[in-house]
Amino acid sequence: MSSVSKGDRKASLDAASWLFNVVTSVGIILVNKALMATYGFSFATTLTGLHFATTTLLTFILKSLGYIQTSHLPFSDIIKFVLFANFSIVGMNVSLMWNSVGFYQIAKLSMIPVSCFLEVVLDNVRYSRDTKLSIVLVLLGVAVCTVTDVSVNTKGFVAAVIAVWSTALQQYYVHFLQRKYSIGSFNLLGHTAPAQAASLLLVGPFLDYFLTGKRVDAYDYGFTSTLFIILSCTIAVGTNLSQFICIGRFTAVTFQVLGHMKTILVLILGFIFFGKEGLNLHVVLGMIVAIAGMIWYGNASSKPGGKERRSFSLPKTQDYSAVPVSSEPDTKE
């Protein structure tokens, strides 16, 4: 009976974690779309720096109130994580500028096979045939939904490669650090967010000027646009935390595969709130194929042998976890 209760509790926590991530991720995409399209705030890198500054402030307050326990993370690991994360953010912004939207979407889709490669090489994970096929089905469905015109140049291709690998490494490292040091999501954010905020706020204005030709300090900060910036920063705290929780409870590959559910939701909500332009039969079919692939992946990876780590273990230090991270085998997806 206790094992059944434990399984039910774990399933409930997994579902709640994923719902938290979906709601905050879709919410911040819609808010940022309104902020940039309607109010002309096109300073994406600086805005991300503000997101991490807000996250840093919240973790500092919670730590001072005793809600987050003191934990240790080596400085070298923090530096590596911040480098991966910042190259991911900058690479994605530059890739979107230098490539077509279609190639940008292809680059995002390629993060799944790259994440699979990292898990196979670094964690000795093995996937069943059904799990591999379900991933292919998800990629196919999302590609049909999102990939239209495809054009690329040399510098755009280099930016996309940097963005894809740095993003995959950053997400892998989230799971790795939580397992290795037994620290929770808020603890990890408390260690990494200050460095990310400082570096992005330092580099962001210059990079945004390079990408847009506009200065962030010259922007006309009206009352409504400022409210949207504050709202974006507030939601971003939940987005950052939920990403760390989900990758900690699952893996980077599962986070990427199921993460495309957010792509489908954003498309649907975009058609509802911003007009039905671009909605056609092949987009609807792509959505259906992608959702079917996600359901198949969930079933295939949860079966014995669907996705398993072989002869691999990580050294763990004292448990300072503020948010529970599952230590069960990777059949949990």
Side-chain angles (χ1 to χ4, degrees), residues 290-324:
I291 293 172
M294 293 172 201
I295 296 172
W296 188 11
Y297 175 84
N299 291 330
S301 62
S302 63
K303 292 179 180 178
K307 179 183 177 184
E308 59 185 8
R309 179 179 286 108
R310 298 182 180 177
S311 303
F312 180 84
S313 61
L314 279 170
K316 291 191 176 183
T317 56
Q318 185 176 352
D319 187 356
Y320 295 112
S321 179
V323 179

Side-chain angles (χ1 to χ4, degrees), residues 184-250:
S185 305
F186 252 130
N187 294 79
L188 186 56
L189 270 177
H191 287 293
T192 59
Q196 280 193 262
S199 56
L200 289 174
L201 288 176
L202 181 64
V203 175
F206 299 101
L207 179 64
D208 289 332
Y209 180 75
F210 170 72
L211 294 175
T212 65
K214 300 176 183 178
R215 289 170 44 183
V216 67
D217 60 311
Y219 177 76
D220 182 17
Y221 292 91
F223 177 74
T224 307
S225 61
T226 302
L227 280 181
F228 267 90
I229 292 173
I230 294 172
L231 179 60
S232 177
C233 291
T234 303
I235 299 175
V237 176
T239 305
N240 292 332
L241 176 60
S242 65
Q243 181 193 40
F244 280 33
I245 292 174
C246 286
I247 296 177
R249 295 190 67 83
F250 310 117

